[in-house]
Amino acid sequence: MTKPLVIITGASSGIGEATARTLSAAGHPLLLLARRLENLEAMKLPNTLCRKVDVTDINSFATAIEEAEAQFGPADCLINNAGVMLLGDAHSQDPAEWQKMLDVNVMGLMNGIHLVLGKMRERKCGTIINISSVAGRKTFPNHVAYCGTKFAVHGLSETLREEVCGDDVRVITIAPGAVETELLSHTTSDAIKEGYGEWKESMGGVLAAQDVANAIEYAYRQPQNVHIREIVLTTTRQPA
């Protein structure tokens, strides 16, 4: 294998799955992580290690990375894609849903960074790609806690970029608008899901997961001395 190892979290569907297929086709060995192992294995990608990992469990996360690096060599890229979106009104939403989003969207992402960053800095090479959202740049109704987690992703990504750029490590933020994935299904409010669906229809549709995977692949394949810091992408008709 001439191309280096890429780690993708939340790889069992949506953006993660599309990115896995895209980077596998480009020749990269992969470590695919998700809670649904059967979905990962069903892709049957070559030079790929699939492991059932919850990104909030740093020990199992670390074990999977160690196993993949022993097989494929050092991780050159981590794509922090795992995330949950639980929309709701601040006065009525179950605070347990806020905690779940903070745990996965922020702490899970930080766990991944913690596990790969030291070696990347030592090698003076590496790329961390954090999947955020347009909701990490502006606010939306019913998105109080979710926006909070994605604003955190934007803030920590830029802070980290400044911290590690001197070691030739890139930190890239990908901020999609509405995408056709399973993400909305996590929300427990039927009224909010119905309104979100109507909003999507009013725009004539939303991004496909492959659109985001293409953006991720474009940013990653640039020479190491070229750093695309952030990509924001939506359908042309998405107004916000």
Side-chain angles (χ1 to χ4, degrees), residues 159-181:
T159 304
L160 182 63
R161 184 199 63 77
E162 294 178 1
E163 190 174 301
V164 302
C165 64
D167 289 325
D168 291 322
V169 176
R170 303 182 297 184
V171 182
I172 298 167
T173 305
I174 305 292
V179 184
E180 197 60 62
T181 70

Side-chain angles (χ1 to χ4, degrees), residues 132-145:
S132 185
S133 169
V134 168
R137 297 171 54 87
K138 70 173 302 297
T139 57
F140 293 88
N142 313 124
H143 284 59
V144 174

Side-chain angles (χ1 to χ4, degrees), residues 58-78:
I58 195 169
N59 293 322
S60 64
F61 203 163
T63 298
I65 292 174
E66 290 169 7
E67 188 178 358
E69 290 190 322
Q71 185 171 344
F72 299 121
D76 184 63
C77 179
L78 167 66

Side-chain angles (χ1 to χ4, degrees), residues 114-197:
H114 179 74
L115 292 171
V116 302
L117 184 59
K119 291 181 180 179
M120 288 181 175
R121 296 188 79 171
E122 288 175 5
R123 295 194 308 270
K124 307 294 185 185
C125 186
T127 302
I128 293 171
I129 301 177
N130 293 328
I131 309 305
S132 185
S133 169
V134 168
R137 297 171 54 87
K138 70 173 302 297
T139 57
F140 293 88
N142 313 124
H143 284 59
V144 174
Y146 182 72
C147 279
T149 66
K150 291 304 184 178
F151 268 76
V153 172
H154 268 78
L156 69 87
S157 297
E158 177 60 14
T159 304
L160 182 63
R161 184 199 63 77
E162 294 178 1
E163 190 174 301
V164 302
C165 64
D167 289 325
D168 291 322
V169 176
R170 303 182 297 184
V171 182
I172 298 167
T173 305
I174 305 292
V179 184
E180 197 60 62
T181 70
E182 298 176 357
L183 200 61
L184 182 62
S185 67
H186 302 158
T187 294
T188 54
S189 168
D190 290 336
I192 290 176
K193 286 192 284 189
E194 183 178 342
Y196 197 95

Side-chain angles (χ1 to χ4, degrees), residues 38-82:
E38 64 279 7
N39 289 29
L40 302 178
E41 294 176 337
M43 286 189 268
K44 300 184 184 301
L45 299 177
N47 300 315
T48 295
L49 184 66
C50 302
R51 289 294 178 262
K52 182 177 181 179
V53 168
D54 183 332
V55 293
T56 65
D57 180 356
I58 195 169
N59 293 322
S60 64
F61 203 163
T63 298
I65 292 174
E66 290 169 7
E67 188 178 358
E69 290 190 322
Q71 185 171 344
F72 299 121
D76 184 63
C77 179
L78 167 66
I79 301 173
N80 273 315
N81 173 69

